[in-house]
Amino acid sequence: MHKMDGEAPVLERVKKLRKQLEIAAPLCLTDPPYAPCSSACGKMAAAPWQQFSVVELDQRLWIAWGESGTRA
Amino acid sequence: MSDQLGFLPVYTQEFIIQPTSLCNINCRYCYLPDRLSPRSIDARTLARVFAAIFTSSLVGERVRIVWHAGEPMTLPLSFYAEAYRLMDLANPRQIPVESVFQTNGTRLTQAWCDFINARQIQIGISLDGPQAIHDANRVDRQGRGTFARAMRGLDLLQRNGIDPVVLMVLTRQALDAPDALWQFLLEHRLTSVAFLLEEALDTAHEIPLRSAADRQRYRAFLQRILTLRESCAHPPFVREIDGLIDRIKYLTHPVRAQANIPLAVISFDCEGNISTFSPELLTQSHPRYQNFWFGNVFENSLEELLNHPHFRVLNAEVQRGVARCRETCAYFLFCGGGSPANKLSENGTFASSETVHCALHIQTTTDVVLNYLEHSIESVQEGP
């Protein structure tokens, strides 16, 4: 995670959130907002690095130019 | 190829081709200057564009080409049949190509859908929501609403198994109607939406949505969309929300913004002029910079853009702006330094940081989504 001098509150919140999300696992990807999976859908969340291909992970590092609107 | 910021390698994420600047409709919020001009790219120029792309070291494992204008479908289907033939000829290594049309949907026909399916083209369609909201701004040259025509296009796409991404411009009127917009998405079985806040990327128009009340309005809009999304078994993917949740949860590096990294997006106009950074710059002129062209396909390779004197001056300014964002903005992690076109339009210089666009699109969205995730986790931990 990128670190700024005198870490900003928003970064602290993200760090805390990530810690809490690990506690709240397992998570169900089909059931927003990321509640613990209570259904029998079988789609338990994999570890983050297992969910995405290298290409997908790379895409997630980009803020896409807004107009084409076809990608997250 | 290393980027100008010196951290991660970069390849061109999108090649944007503006085959014509003409648009068949006349949206009230449109700031594109040449949308009445019927100029279009000729086959010779297009062949040079494709040659420049497919011989470039900037190409990664795949090439993403976005047809953007104006309205790209003002050109006949026969133009694109020839264009894709030229593209195939220029691509002997058969690098996989993803292509996208960003369209207003009003010119779609069955023949277009057949072509889209044959070429596996992705479609972004501009729809602003229910008729009253859509027709308030998306009008033709006679001032008539285009909702019915756009919806006929959407219906054709869906009957042909084509699932478009919706590009929705949010005006004040739309921000006050999140329930109507959400209902519209569900009723029409739309699976993916990207919100664009109304903006004016030129020097002639006042920036819309710039007041504190607008920021509060956008905050309330997003909060309501999050609530509506929770009540939905299969909610549409909302780029601003779902994309950010992904980033909050999984990113291990700061994000990079396509719009401010040299060559991450490369744009071509119908004369073969080449630009980079925010694609809106391609068609803009400016009292200080004149234009934002850094080469032409008849004279330059894409890599040569980096040595173009105009580019070097401009890039230095853009990177000073990004550095200022990195030093001063707590949201840099989720933004990567902002959009040069917005900085120029709002602050008069690329070497600047915060814009109204940042305050809304990045900062407010991040605040709302972080709050939402924090509360969601608290309620999970507290139990029923």
Side-chain angles (χ1 to χ4, degrees):
Chain A
M1 177 63 80
H2 175 67
K3 188 172 178 176
M4 298 192 336
D5 288 341
E7 286 177 343
V10 68
L11 181 55
E12 289 305 320
R13 290 172 69 187
V14 171
K15 283 181 174 175
K16 186 178 173 196
L17 205 48
R18 287 187 173 191
K19 207 168 175 184
Q20 287 173 316
L21 280 165
E22 283 166 17
I23 293 165
L27 306 173
C28 179
L29 291 180
T30 62
D31 200 9
Y34 304 100
C37 185
S38 56
S39 69
C41 68
K43 291 191 178 175
M44 305 299 279
W49 59 89
Q50 293 173 312
Q51 288 180 31
F52 308 119
S53 71
V54 173
V55 170
E56 286 172 323
L57 266 177
D58 183 65
Q59 279 183 7
R60 280 170 164 76
L61 285 175
W62 287 91
I63 298 280
W65 172 61
E67 291 291 333
S68 57
T70 48
R71 186 168 63 194
Chain B
M1 170 127 214
S2 288
D3 68 44
Q4 298 293 295
L5 299 177
F7 45 85
L8 291 167
V10 66
Y11 55 88
T12 299
Q13 300 272 302
E14 287 189 349
F15 295 97
I16 295 174
I17 304 176
Q18 297 196 354
T20 174
S21 47
L22 181 67
C23 188
N24 61 319
I25 66 172
N26 191 28
C27 298
R28 294 199 165 102
Y29 46 54
C30 184
Y31 49 79
L32 294 177
D34 299 325
R35 58 189 192 276
L36 282 170
S37 164
R39 288 179 309 149
S40 62
I41 198 165
D42 59 33
R44 183 168 155 264
T45 309
L46 198 51
R48 293 299 288 253
V49 167
F50 289 135
I53 292 173
F54 288 104
T55 58
S56 167
S57 61
L58 298 162
V59 166
E61 292 175 355
R62 65 201 170 96
V63 170
R64 182 176 165 88
I65 290 176
V66 180
W67 298 98
H68 205 292
E71 167 53 48
M73 292 185 186
T74 55
L75 293 177
L77 196 45
S78 56
F79 166 85
Y80 291 100
E82 175 64 3
Y84 277 75
R85 190 186 72 79
L86 292 171
M87 192 192 302
D88 290 342
L89 283 174
N91 183 17
R93 288 185 291 157
Q94 297 186 315
I95 300 166
V97 176
E98 272 179 15
S99 62
V100 181
F101 274 81
Q102 180 58 46
T103 178
N104 60 37
T106 60
R107 295 235 165 173
L108 281 159
T109 60
Q110 182 57 47
W112 266 107
C113 291
D114 293 341
F115 182 74
I116 289 163
N117 272 331
R119 284 289 182 168
Q120 297 184 299
I121 294 167
Q122 299 168 37
I123 299 294
I125 187 167
S126 299
L127 291 170
D128 283 358
Q131 183 159 14
I133 295 174
H134 182 98
D135 282 350
N137 290 292
R138 299 193 66 81
V139 294
D140 64 17
R141 303 215 172 277
Q142 286 73 46
R144 297 173 305 195
T146 59
F147 181 80
R149 282 170 272 176
M151 293 308 286
R152 267 200 304 276
L154 173 67
D155 182 53
L156 256 179
L157 289 173
Q158 291 179 325
R159 278 195 278 124
N160 281 275
I162 301 160
D163 189 20
V165 172
V166 173
L167 194 64
M168 197 174 267
V169 175
L170 300 176
T171 58
R172 283 196 184 112
Q173 183 191 10
L175 289 176
D176 287 339
D179 289 68
L181 295 190
W182 190 257
Q183 192 58 34
F184 172 81
L185 295 172
L186 298 185
E187 272 176 14
H188 295 284
R189 304 180 315 282
L190 295 161
T191 60
S192 187
V193 63
F195 293 131
L196 280 179
L197 289 151
E198 185 187 5
E199 56 190 5
L201 294 179
D202 59 13
T203 51
H205 291 86
E206 191 181 329
I207 300 157
L209 304 178
R210 65 177 312 156
S211 69
D214 290 326
R215 193 164 175 168
Q216 181 49 40
R217 189 178 263 125
Y218 180 52
R219 179 185 297 273
F221 172 85
L222 286 178
Q223 286 167 337
R224 182 63 186 153
I225 292 289
L226 280 161
T227 302
L228 292 165
R229 178 176 166 278
E230 271 188 60
S231 62
C232 202
H234 301 287
F237 179 92
V238 180
R239 183 181 65 174
E240 283 59 38
I241 290 172
D242 293 276
L244 185 59
I245 288 174
D246 266 0
R247 292 191 181 104
I248 289 170
K249 290 175 71 179
Y250 302 128
L251 282 195
T252 52
H253 294 75
V255 299
R256 293 169 283 172
Q258 287 182 351
N260 64 37
I261 292 188
L263 309 185
V265 174
I266 294 179
S267 313
F268 305 92
D269 72 8
C270 51
E271 263 82 45
N273 295 310
I274 314 169
S275 190
T276 186
F277 302 121
S278 308
E280 297 90 343
L281 295 174
L282 180 67
T283 52
Q284 283 184 22
S285 57
H286 189 274
R288 191 147 43 92
Y289 303 98
Q290 281 79 53
N291 60 51
F292 300 97
W293 304 332
F294 309 122
N296 187 287
V297 290
F298 289 101
E299 295 166 12
N300 307 103
S301 71
L302 301 183
E303 289 81 352
E304 281 170 4
L305 265 67
L306 295 174
N307 291 322
H308 193 284
H310 194 32
F311 167 81
R312 292 172 75 93
V313 169
L314 223 130
N315 183 43
E317 206 175 294
V318 168
Q319 299 316 324
R320 280 203 300 280
V322 173
R324 193 165 294 179
C325 291
R326 190 188 296 110
E327 287 157 12
T328 60
C329 184
Y331 298 83
F332 184 77
L333 267 180
F334 301 110
C335 164
S339 156
N342 290 83
K343 289 182 180 184
L344 182 67
S345 148
E346 292 188 29
N347 303 331
T349 172
F350 293 118
S352 60
S353 52
E354 188 174 313
T355 61
V356 172
H357 180 258
C358 300
L360 288 167
H361 198 248
I362 301 293
Q363 297 174 9
T364 303
T365 308
T366 305
D367 286 342
V368 169
V369 171
L370 275 173
N371 279 338
Y372 166 77
L373 287 175
E374 285 164 351
H375 288 136
S376 300
I377 285 173
E378 276 167 25
S379 50
V380 165
Q381 288 177 335
E382 283 165 10

